[in-house]
Amino acid sequence: MNSMQYYSPNTLDEYQKIYSNITGKNILVFAGGTDLMVGRHELPQDAVIIDISGIAELKGIEKKEDKIVVGSCTALNELLYSHQIQNNIPILIKAIKTMASEQIRNRATIGGNIGNASPAGDTITPLVVLEARIEIFSPESNEIRTIPIEALFRGPCASTLQNGEIITKIIIPLRKDKGIFCYFRKIGQRNAMTITKASLSAIAKYSSSKIEWIKLASGSVSPVVKRMSITEEFLKGKELTTAVINEAKEIIAREISPITDIRSTKAFRVLITKNLLGDCLYYLIRQQNI
Ligand SMILES: Cc1cc2nc3c(=O)[nH]c(=O)nc-3n(C[C@H](O)[C@H](O)[C@H](O)COP(=O)(O)OP(=O)(O)OC[C@H]3O[C@@H](n4cnc5c(N)ncnc54)[C@H](O)[C@@H]3O)c2cc1C
């Protein structure tokens, strides 16, 4: 009978050494385990688990001049209670507040939410509109590379990471513009402890009654989370009249490609996405009028 092997390195260097001593095995990177343990009975029995949660260099939140750098093993609650994130990246706070429970958020990491590559991963849509970049460590070449977050996703719960590669950092650029509007809302079965049926993240700059720019990403309605660039382009430079908002809702409905699954139907996901965009744009108008 095969049995799983388990390693828990304390440094990236140790991780690399463990990796180089393992050949031809299925490596399973384990951070908080809150996704992995749910599916533990389906894990390959010959998998080699490498628990990266003890690697100190993968933890923490650091503000640099024009960016915030978050270690991949930073727990969701550390982000939620961080003044740096609260003051600089409110959209991420809005998203994390809706995720799981206090207990799960103490274990669940941001790197695990991204690494799981689910189109329903709630930190992903905010990070996509923020144009975050992901730093990846390859134990094969011992090198670090950085890619835009959108390039990480290959399909539902499938990433472009190679065997053994790990996300080390999430790099979130800070915008110079003041007064940026942000929006995150998800619709699920309930209000708490719920997996997203559909969600929307947006950041926008609105001035002189017009949208200067807007960045939109819908969750759970396409095989991978991506920017809604046709809808963004349509809204750019426009005044938010009822007619414009209604047209934008039709455009986003054509831009997404939802499926029917155990959580929702395709038709309902289309309807929610249209309504979320309407809610977002009317909220934007109200914010400007305060
Ligand atoms: C009750 C419950 C409620 C939940 N609610 C929500 C919710 O509301 N919204 C939501 O989005 N999710 C939710 N989740 C899912 C889960 O908690 C999150 O996705 C969490 O962020 C995963 O992080 P983790 O550290 O536990 O990942 P793990 O389970 O350790 O790993 C998840 C996946 O990512 C990979 N991985 C982990 N870290 C890295 C890394 N640094 N580099 C590369 N790959 C990596 C692993 O190999 C694995 O494939 C919920 C889970 C439970 C059990």
Side-chain angles (χ1 to χ4, degrees):
M1 197 176 94
N2 287 324
S3 60
M4 281 190 201
Q5 291 176 56
Y6 174 89
Y7 296 91
S8 55
N10 290 315
T11 62
L12 266 187
D13 209 36
E14 269 180 43
Y15 176 82
Q16 201 278 330
K17 290 202 174 83
I18 291 166
Y19 175 88
S20 22
N21 286 329
I22 302 166
T23 42
K25 292 254 174 67
N26 201 346
I27 289 176
L28 210 55
V29 173
F30 183 104
T34 63
D35 270 317
L36 280 176
M37 292 314 283
V38 172
R40 65 191 177 281
H41 299 300
E42 280 118 58
L43 297 178
Q45 285 305 300
D46 65 343
V48 179
I49 296 176
I50 309 187
D51 181 346
I52 58 170
S53 65
I55 304 182
E57 49 207 291
L58 299 184
K59 290 181 185 176
I61 301 160
E62 199 184 345
K63 182 165 185 277
K64 306 221 167 145
E65 206 177 309
D66 54 353
K67 54 185 174 259
I68 292 219
V69 180
V70 179
S72 62
C73 283
T74 306
L76 295 177
N77 260 351
E78 278 174 62
L79 290 151
L80 190 59
Y81 298 125
S82 150
H83 290 293
Q84 294 293 11
I85 306 294
Q86 288 168 4
N87 294 336
N88 295 292
I89 318 182
I91 190 172
L92 205 51
I93 299 289
K94 285 179 192 239
I96 296 173
K97 269 186 183 162
T98 72
M99 292 173 74
S101 64
E102 192 71 13
Q103 294 89 336
I104 300 274
R105 288 196 305 262
N106 278 334
R107 276 206 69 85
T109 66
I110 186 164
N113 196 239
I114 300 166
N116 198 40
S118 162
D122 288 317
T123 66
I124 297 175
T125 53
L127 292 171
V128 164
V129 295
L130 291 163
E131 296 173 332
R133 294 177 68 78
I134 303 296
E135 191 186 274
I136 296 163
F137 171 70
S138 160
E140 196 76 49
S141 64
N142 218 353
E143 277 171 7
I144 297 242
R145 66 193 162 98
T146 309
I147 59 164
I149 185 166
E150 281 180 78
L152 193 79
F153 308 117
R154 193 161 47 82
C157 296
S159 80
T160 54
L161 293 176
Q162 304 297 311
N163 196 22
E165 279 191 333
I166 52 171
I167 300 165
T168 45
K169 289 182 179 140
I170 297 99
I171 303 157
I172 309 169
L174 294 174
R175 299 193 154 268
K176 290 204 175 69
D177 328 45
K178 293 272 171 270
I180 293 177
F181 164 84
C182 79
Y183 176 93
F184 172 88
R185 191 163 171 196
K186 83 180 194 190
I187 303 296
Q189 190 71 19
R190 305 167 290 273
N191 282 334
M193 287 285 278
T194 192
I195 305 288
T196 297
K197 287 177 194 273
S199 66
L200 182 74
S201 279
I203 58 170
K205 179 88 181 139
Y206 192 71
S207 58
S208 314
S209 302
K210 290 205 173 92
I211 297 240
E212 232 174 80
W213 53 259
I214 186 162
K215 296 175 198 300
L216 297 162
S218 291
S220 242
V221 289
S222 307
V224 295
V225 172
K226 57 184 170 80
R227 289 267 294 279
M228 297 286 108
S229 44
I230 304 171
T231 314
E232 289 176 3
E233 200 51 43
F234 167 76
L235 286 166
K236 196 172 165 186
K238 294 251 171 37
E239 197 177 327
L240 288 178
T241 60
T242 306
V244 165
I245 293 176
N246 286 343
E247 197 172 339
K249 286 165 70 176
E250 295 309 317
I251 294 172
I252 202 165
R254 290 195 294 273
E255 204 168 3
I256 57 175
S257 46
I259 53 162
T260 295
D261 64 11
I262 47 161
R263 278 190 212 116
S264 189
T265 63
K266 176 178 170 169
F268 191 54
R269 286 192 159 109
V270 171
L271 181 68
I272 306 173
T273 302
K274 287 168 73 172
N275 288 346
L276 284 174
L277 182 63
D279 183 56
C280 165
L281 297 176
Y282 284 115
Y283 180 53
L284 171 48
I285 298 170
R286 285 200 304 279
Q287 288 286 97
Q288 302 307 310
N289 293 336
I290 288 170

